[in-house]
Amino acid sequence: MTLEKNLRELRAIYGLSQDDVAKAIDVSRSSVVATEKGERELSSEELGKLADFLGVDIIDLLSQEIPNYEKYREMIVETLRRYTEYAGKSATKTLLAKLIYLADFAWYYEHLQPMSGMKYRRLQYGPVPDQYFRIVDELIDEGKVSLKVGDEAQWLNLTRSAQDTPPQHLSTSELDLIDKIAQKWKDSNTKEIVHFTHTQLPWQICRQNEYIPYELITQEEPSRVY
């Protein structure tokens, strides 16, 4: 029952119809209906197309628990809100990604569960989910985040419409942690926060392009969590 449940949930999150999914993976709508009822299995090719269309990994489609994408989108907005307020300037895409990573893993450190459940990959400039850049682009297209390109970096800020939108998926405690992290790093630049994440145990232990297990952060010194 895992794939059919996850497909229904992801369609709801992204506001997609069964027709949208059918067109994306080159099947009929009735085939999607049958898949969501557990009456039809997707071929490996269809499963790959579906994962690409939804911007997730195949393993996530088949997992018992899927990441909370709506919560992760809200983490992007609320982290950007707080950092720009405290720093008095825009945030680069890379710096913002690192602040969100620190929040997710610090929450796991304190509660043994991540804030969003997103899977962070060890990439050149630090840990980041595969979906991060796509979600940021969606927020830009929706008019919630503004983008300015300059100085070999992409700078992000919230728009007025996003400023007036209260969080719906993050708890007060989660927002407090995001706030603490934004305050701590408000005077730092992108290079400094990238260096910090590269010296943490999760980064040091994993190989390039591997997913970083949340559990690794529990072996870090308390002062080095964020």
Side-chain angles (χ1 to χ4, degrees):
M1 293 294 290
T2 302
L3 174 59
E4 48 265 39
K5 173 179 175 291
N6 289 347
L7 178 53
R8 289 194 300 269
E9 289 185 1
L10 287 169
R11 276 203 309 105
I13 288 172
Y14 292 131
L16 298 170
S17 67
Q18 291 172 329
D19 282 327
D20 293 329
V21 174
K23 292 176 182 176
I25 64 175
D26 297 321
V27 300
S28 65
R29 178 180 176 278
S30 61
S31 293
V32 175
V33 172
T35 299
E36 291 191 350
K37 289 181 178 180
E39 299 172 354
R40 179 184 184 276
E41 293 185 1
L42 295 181
S43 68
S44 58
E45 181 180 359
E46 291 166 349
L47 196 59
K49 288 181 178 179
L50 180 61
D52 289 341
F53 176 59
L54 296 174
V56 300
D57 292 311
I58 291 177
I59 192 171
D60 288 334
L61 285 175
L62 304 177
S63 175
Q64 292 293 333
E65 293 186 9
I66 60 174
N68 192 328
Y69 295 97
E70 284 299 301
K71 195 172 189 178
Y72 184 72
R73 279 170 56 95
E74 200 163 271
M75 287 174 68
I76 292 174
V77 171
E78 294 304 318
T79 302
L80 184 57
R81 183 198 306 277
R82 284 158 174 75
Y83 175 80
T84 54
E85 177 182 340
Y86 293 131
K89 61 181 179 181
S90 302
T92 66
K93 273 189 179 181
T94 300
L95 184 144
L96 178 61
K98 301 303 155 279
L99 293 175
I100 298 166
Y101 156 76
L102 291 175
D104 237 340
F105 276 67
W107 188 260
Y108 189 94
Y109 187 89
E110 296 177 0
H111 302 278
L112 295 183
Q113 62 180 19
M115 197 176 291
S116 73
M118 298 293 285
K119 296 176 66 177
Y120 289 78
R121 194 186 293 275
R122 187 190 191 276
L123 297 181
Q124 180 182 357
Y125 294 108
V128 65
D130 295 334
Q131 299 86 356
Y132 170 72
F133 296 100
R134 179 179 61 79
I135 293 175
V136 169
D137 288 343
E138 288 177 356
L139 291 169
I140 293 171
D141 292 340
E142 294 168 8
K144 295 179 180 178
V145 172
S146 63
L147 170 68
K148 182 179 179 180
V149 179
D151 299 328
E152 299 183 353
Q154 295 181 320
W155 299 85
L156 304 175
N157 215 327
L158 286 188
T159 62
R160 178 65 61 85
S161 62
Q163 291 283 3
D164 297 334
T165 304
Q168 301 291 324
H169 302 280
L170 291 163
S171 69
T172 300
S173 297
E174 289 169 335
L175 289 169
D176 285 344
L177 178 58
I178 290 173
D179 197 84
K180 290 178 183 177
I181 292 172
Q183 285 197 59
K184 178 173 181 178
W185 289 97
K186 64 182 176 64
D187 296 321
S188 302
N189 58 34
T190 301
K191 184 177 180 179
E192 289 168 331
I193 193 169
V194 167
H195 175 74
F196 178 80
T197 59
H198 283 194
T199 57
Q200 286 183 306
L201 282 174
W203 172 271
Q204 294 288 328
I205 292 174
C206 293
R207 298 175 182 174
Q208 188 72 0
N209 292 322
E210 279 188 339
Y211 286 119
I212 301 176
Y214 281 96
E215 293 83 359
L216 292 179
I217 196 63
T218 62
Q219 306 303 310
E220 188 60 85
E221 293 293 328
S223 61
R224 298 282 305 161
V225 174
Y226 66 86

